[in-house]
Structure formats: C-alpha cells, structure tokens
Amino acid sequence: MIQLPDRFNQVRNSEMLARSQVLRRSWPFVIDLCVAGIGLACFYGLVQLARYWFGHPMPSITISLSPHALPLYAFYSIVRIWLAYALSLAFAIAYGYIAAYNPRVEAFMIAGLDILQSIPVLSFLPGVMLAMVALFPTRQIGVEMGAIILIFTGQVWNMAFSFYSSLKSIPRELREAASIYRFSHWQRLVELELPYAAIGLVWNSMVSVAGGWFFLMACEMFVLGTRDFRLPGLGSYLQTAASTGNASAISWGLFTMVAIIVATDQLVWRPIIAWSDKFKFEQVETKSRIRSPLLHLLQHSRALHTLRSHTIQPLSEAIYQKIAEKRHRAEASGDPHSAATQKNRERWNALIRTVIIVLAVCGVVYAAFQALALLKDVQRSEFVQILEGALATFLRVNVALLLASVWTIPAGVSIGFHPRLARIAQPLAQIAASVPATALFPVVLMALVRIGGGLGVGSIILMMLGTQWYILFNVIAGAMAIPTDLREVATLFRFSSAQRWRTLILPGIFPYLITGLVTASGGAWNASIIAEYFHLKNQTLQTLGLGAVISAATDSGKFHLLLLATIVMAGMVVTINRLVWRPLYRLAETRYKLGA
C-alpha cells in the first residue's frame, strides 16, 4: 500500500470539507429559487383562473378529445379538487370539534353527519348547481362554485369522522396535562388536538382527494334536462372519451391523471406523511422513521427558516401571550360590575342562540314540507321499484365491503408496520386510489359482458374499487399510530401471530377501522349512482338498484323520484349506522381507547 504524506492528506481533507460547505450553502439557495418559482407560477395560475371564472358564462361547452387540451383541462380539475379539499378540511375540523365537545348537540350532529354522507352526490347536483348559477348569473364562477361544492360533498365526511373519533380517543393524561398547564381553547387545538389527530387526518385527506377524482366526472359532466352545466376538465375529458369509446383519448387521459397523482404523492403527500410521523403518541422512539427528501430540503431552506423565525413564531407567541393576559385580567377582576356585565353578555348570547335556532327550525320545517309535497306524484309501481332497488343495492354494498376488508386489513397493517414497505406501497396505493374507477369501468364492463357477466356483477366491482381505499388508508393510519413500545413488548414476550393480532393489532387499529368501514359504507352507497347506471358507447346500461333510480331520475328531471330514492337511501344508511356502527364507535371510545 502506498503511504501518502500527511500534508497531502490534510490538503485533501480540507478540500473535501470546503466542497461540502459549498454544497451546504448552495442547496438552500437552490431551494429558495425553487420556492420563488413556485410562488410566481401560483400567482400566474391565479391570474388566469380569475380571468376564466369572472368571465361571462359559456352557454355550451364542447369537450375536445385532443391531447393538446389536456394540460389546461388538468389545471382546471386540480384547482377544483384542491379548493374543495381546503373547504373540506376547514369544515371537518370545525364540525368534529363542535360535535366532540358539546354533549347537547353531539348526537344530533353525528346523526346529521350520517345522513349527509349517505346522500349521493347526484342528489345534491340539481339544487346546488341551480342555486350557484342563480347567485352568479352573469359569471362563470357560479357553475365552478357548484362543481367545487359538489366535490366537497364527496370528500368531507370521512375527514370529519376521523377528526371527531381522534378527539374522542385522546388519552386522559394528555388532557390532564393540558388542563394543568392551563391551555386555552386555541392552544389546546394547536398543541394537542390537531397533532394527535394528524396521522388519521393526513391519511383520510389522501383518500378524500382520491374520492374527489372519483366523482370528478359526475361534477364536470352534469346536464339537467335542456340545461348544460358541463365544465372543461380532466373528468369531463375522460367521461367523454368513455362515452364515445375512444381508447386513445382514454389512454391519454389516464396517463395525465397518473402523472398528476405521482407528482402529488412526491410533492405533497410524502413530505406531509414524513412530517406527521413526529406526532405519533409513543414513549419509545421508533428505530425507523418515514423520510422525505423534499421535506428535508424544505426544512433547510434559508428563506423558509427566516419566514418561520421572524414571522410565524413571533406571531404565535404574541397570540398566546395576549390570550394569557386576557385570561389573567378576567381572573383578577372579581368586582360585581364585571360579574354583572358577564351575566348580561351570557344572557344576550343565549337569546341570540335561541333566535338562530328558532329561525333555522322554521326554515327547515318549511323546506321539508315543500319537498314532501313533491312525493304526491310518486306512483305505486315506482315506490315498489325503489324498495326492490334498495334491497339489491344493500346486498351489493355489503358484498363489496366484505371483499374489500378481506385484503385491505392485512395489507394496511403490513404497510403501517414496515416503513420500507410503506415507501413503496403508499405511492402505488395512492395512484390506484386516485385513478377513478369510472374511467376503468368501461374496460371492466366490456370484459364482463364478453365472459357472460353484466352490470349486476360489475357494479360490485366498481363499488369496491371506489371505496376499499377508505378502509386501507384508515388501517394504515391505525397501524402507524400503534406505539412502538407496545410493539416491542409483544416482541419481547414472543407473541404468536394470532396473539399479536388479538391483543395488539386489532385493538390498536379498531377505532381507525370503524371509521374506515363507516365511510366506506357511505361511499359504497354513494358510488351506486354510477355503478348501477352507466353510459357506454352512446348507450345506457343499468341494473336493478337504488343508485340506478337516482341516476335515471336525474337524467330525466323527475325530482319526485329523486327525492324519494334519496330519502330511502339516507334512511337505510342512518338505520345501519344506528344499529351497527354507532355501538362499535362507543366500544372504540371506551374499551379500545389508548391511555394510562
């Protein structure tokens, strides 16, 4: 071996050190340039979007099947889905928080959530679209807001259920610590509740966005009688291609959608999952953490560090200090005048709440009577058809849930327990979940017809394709949330596979599994409107089912059938939730709650 002089080694080491320091300095600069470029691109996109939305409404839109139209269509669809997601996230946090901490309205709000998640998107379509168009009659934004609200109705419910169940399962010692340190409501939300619910909320956000892609076709291709509410977008492109049987256009549309989903996974979900892993409730740090190169680079950005240290942190500290000072002044002032003022304020607040409740009840009662007046036009044969369709859809929903649970539970536990497997399987699952089953359904349906099957079997496959991801992603979140120390105890005592599943895995994932099954059940009922009634090559295929009745009534403008079928579907879903899922929720909140 040749021995190099010490001086040469020192020079070489100093050069390597200098090179590494240059790289450290250059990388944050490159990241800052990328962040600036993203900001400029977002600003340009907002300008173009504002010009389109606030322009005059388009009377009739022809969907081009040229691949050159896909970039603009994809941009429009991405904006609709992410605006709907932002609206869903805000609603889920507010709704779940109010339901979890107000026992007087908790049962009413959860019942309302059950009903709302059971109402199909097509049942919202006519009223929402007509209302938005009437609100903005001279601008394109009316139809756009209608589509965003409808995508919101397909995304929000599982997120609200997830946040509510996370709040109900916060360990008692964490609540006591927040009380001892005298956290305000805002501090408790930011420092305890949102971090504890982060893992479940992130994974449900992923499946919500996937659900947005699933219903994108229906929201962008809505026609009510002679009125055309179609919008340019990726969903309308795929639906038009599927209706005309254009295999080349379907391939281009799916390729574009998969590219968007892969980019979303790498640029959004992977960094967020790696970031949320730090909120895992455990006493022993896990050996292997989920990593994201993009998150690592963003954390070392000088611009973002400056923004955080000079803006976000001082602002949050100022807010916390003002809250503490306000509470201290309230406690220090114990004079009768301030007590009388507080009592007057409470009386006025109670009066305002009472007036609002009375007005809301009167409005609901009036609207309910006006809606029920439509049911006078329902014929006896139509009522029998709805009942038979309800039974057929009920059987298909339960078969789809059973088939989905068989593979999603073990697969979700394996992904959640093994970060290396998660790095490979999570992007694949996100891609598969986000590709709309409605885009794949023409191929599946034609294959079933060739082998002698039909829409009756195909509808079960479509329901499973559209709803199995609710179960999978919730199981993954539940498996990831199981503390590492409990898993190490199971290894230390050499539990067998059966013992591990019985005493650790199933109890640990149980609250998440119930959330996944509830939302998957509601999603399967919702998916029936597409699974049982499908346009293929300029012809309509349908089978006996409640979803087919709703879709046919929407196409023909028979609002009395649409209303009755929606009431029957909502009633069945709420009844199932009351008899099956609600007791299981209570069991998850009591027996399988993680705590000391």
Side-chain angles (χ1 to χ4, degrees):
M1 179 181 294
I2 301 176
Q3 298 291 333
L4 297 177
D6 292 341
R7 178 62 179 170
F8 181 83
N9 288 332
Q10 292 175 0
V11 172
R12 187 185 63 175
N13 292 336
S14 62
E15 290 179 352
M16 294 176 61
L17 180 61
R19 190 179 299 113
S20 64
Q21 290 176 350
V22 170
L23 289 175
R24 286 197 195 97
R25 295 193 193 99
S26 61
W27 266 115
F29 178 72
V30 173
I31 296 170
D32 295 341
L33 288 179
C34 293
V35 171
I38 293 172
L40 291 175
C42 292
F43 177 77
Y44 176 76
L46 287 175
V47 171
Q48 296 299 319
L49 196 67
R51 290 178 179 174
Y52 167 62
W53 279 15
F54 291 98
H56 293 289
M58 301 179 183
S60 179
I61 294 177
T62 301
I63 305 300
S64 172
L65 294 182
S66 171
H68 299 290
L70 279 172
L72 183 61
Y73 286 179
F75 171 72
Y76 288 151
S77 296
I78 290 171
V79 170
R80 293 177 191 124
I81 285 179
W82 284 102
L83 285 178
Y85 168 73
L87 185 62
S88 301
L89 181 63
F91 179 88
I93 293 175
Y95 199 96
Y97 189 91
I98 295 173
Y101 290 115
N102 291 273
R104 294 182 179 179
V105 298
E106 180 179 4
F108 176 78
M109 293 184 69
I110 297 303
L113 203 59
D114 291 339
I115 295 173
L116 289 172
Q117 77 148 353
S118 64
I119 298 177
V121 170
L122 282 184
S123 298
F124 288 109
L125 264 173
V128 170
M129 278 296 184
L130 294 176
M132 290 295 104
V133 171
L135 190 61
F136 302 97
T138 61
R139 293 290 181 265
Q140 180 67 19
I141 192 175
V143 183
E144 292 287 344
M145 289 301 297
I148 291 171
I149 292 175
L150 290 169
I151 296 173
F152 158 82
T153 62
Q155 288 183 338
V156 65
W157 316 123
N158 62 300
M159 295 171 61
F161 270 120
S162 174
F163 189 67
Y164 165 78
S165 61
S166 296
L167 292 182
K168 299 297 287 187
S169 60
I170 293 178
R172 187 182 65 231
E173 58 267 27
L174 294 184
R175 295 187 183 277
E176 291 176 351
S179 299
I180 291 174
Y181 285 100
R182 306 180 69 185
F183 278 9
S184 63
H185 293 291
W186 173 254
Q187 286 176 301
R188 188 174 60 184
L189 175 66
V190 175
E191 303 292 341
L192 172 61
E193 292 156 350
L194 284 177
Y196 187 83
I199 294 178
L201 207 53
V202 166
W203 285 92
N204 274 280
S205 296
M206 294 170 62
V207 77
S208 289
V209 173
W213 286 107
F214 183 88
F215 290 108
L216 190 67
M217 291 184 177
C219 296
E220 292 182 349
M221 285 291 291
F222 179 57
V223 177
L224 182 62
T226 59
R227 304 195 64 175
D228 191 348
F229 296 104
R230 288 182 298 174
L231 293 169
L234 196 53
S236 57
Y237 181 95
L238 284 168
Q239 181 65 54
T240 304
S243 299
T244 58
N246 192 329
S248 176
I250 291 176
S251 301
W252 277 109
L254 288 177
F255 174 78
T256 304
M257 183 171 290
V258 170
I260 293 171
I261 294 165
V262 172
T264 303
D265 173 75
Q266 295 298 317
L267 299 178
V268 179
W269 296 127
R270 182 68 66 87
I272 290 178
I273 290 173
W275 169 79
S276 66
D277 193 57
K278 68 180 182 179
F279 299 121
K280 191 174 181 180
F281 180 64
E282 58 186 1
Q283 296 177 354
V284 178
E285 185 178 4
T286 184
K287 297 178 181 178
S288 54
R289 290 287 185 185
I290 299 175
R291 293 179 175 84
S292 169
L294 179 60
L295 178 64
H296 178 75
L297 293 177
L298 291 176
Q299 289 174 339
H300 290 80
S301 169
R302 289 181 297 188
L304 295 180
H305 175 73
T306 302
L307 177 66
R308 183 169 56 251
S309 59
H310 290 83
T311 304
I312 298 177
Q313 289 180 353
L315 182 62
S316 61
E317 290 295 334
I319 292 175
Y320 290 156
Q321 185 173 359
K322 285 186 177 297
I323 292 175
E325 291 175 353
K326 183 178 179 181
R327 183 194 303 146
H328 180 71
R329 287 195 301 268
E331 293 176 353
S333 59
D335 57 302
H337 178 70
S338 60
T341 304
Q342 181 67 22
K343 288 182 179 179
N344 290 332
R345 187 182 297 113
E346 291 177 356
R347 279 197 293 266
W348 275 107
N349 290 337
L351 179 61
I352 292 173
R353 284 197 300 267
T354 303
V355 172
I356 293 175
I357 291 174
V358 170
L359 291 177
V361 169
C362 292
V364 169
V365 171
Y366 175 78
F369 274 108
Q370 293 297 321
L372 292 176
L374 295 174
L375 300 181
K376 295 184 297 182
D377 299 330
V378 178
Q379 304 295 325
R380 179 180 178 87
S381 59
E382 294 173 333
F383 184 72
V384 172
Q385 180 189 5
I386 289 176
L387 293 182
E388 293 176 350
L391 178 60
T393 303
F394 173 78
L395 295 176
R396 292 192 188 100
V397 166
N398 285 280
V399 171
L401 286 179
L402 179 62
L403 294 176
S405 301
V406 167
W407 79 271
T408 54
I409 294 177
V413 170
S414 298
I415 295 172
F417 274 13
H418 302 90
R420 291 183 180 178
L421 178 61
R423 283 194 289 269
I424 300 173
Q426 181 262 320
L428 297 178
Q430 178 65 21
I431 293 171
S434 299
V435 174
T438 47
L440 302 175
F441 198 49
V443 180
V444 176
L445 186 57
M446 286 187 290
L448 287 172
V449 171
R450 288 180 180 177
I451 64 176
L455 196 59
V457 178
S459 59
I460 297 177
I461 296 176
L462 183 60
M463 286 180 185
M464 192 173 67
L465 288 175
T467 60
Q468 60 190 350
W469 313 111
Y470 292 103
I471 306 174
L472 177 65
F473 287 170
N474 274 282
V475 171
I476 293 174
M480 293 179 63
I482 295 178
T484 304
D485 46 349
L486 296 184
R487 291 164 56 183
E488 291 181 353
V489 168
T491 303
L492 181 65
F493 284 95
R494 298 181 179 179
F495 282 6
S496 63
S497 297
Q499 288 176 319
R500 185 183 295 267
W501 275 90
R502 187 175 63 253
T503 60
L504 174 65
I505 297 175
L506 288 178
I509 69 172
F510 190 77
Y512 297 85
L513 178 61
I514 297 303
T515 300
L517 288 172
V518 170
T519 51
S521 175
W525 282 96
N526 213 331
S528 67
I529 62 176
I530 302 174
E532 298 173 348
Y533 188 91
F534 199 82
H535 297 286
L536 180 65
K537 291 186 177 181
N538 298 321
Q539 61 177 335
T540 301
L541 302 177
Q542 67 180 78
T543 185
L544 177 65
L546 200 55
V549 174
I550 292 175
S551 297
T554 304
D555 276 355
S556 59
K558 296 180 179 179
F559 294 110
H560 60 286
L561 281 182
L562 176 63
L563 176 62
L564 181 58
T566 302
I567 292 175
V568 171
M569 181 176 288
M572 291 186 68
V573 174
V574 171
T575 302
I576 294 171
N577 288 344
R578 282 285 170 266
L579 298 179
V580 179
W581 302 123
R582 192 55 48 202
L584 292 177
Y585 253 126
R586 285 195 292 268
L587 185 65
E589 294 170 4
T590 55
R591 183 172 180 179
Y592 298 115
K593 182 178 180 179
L594 185 64

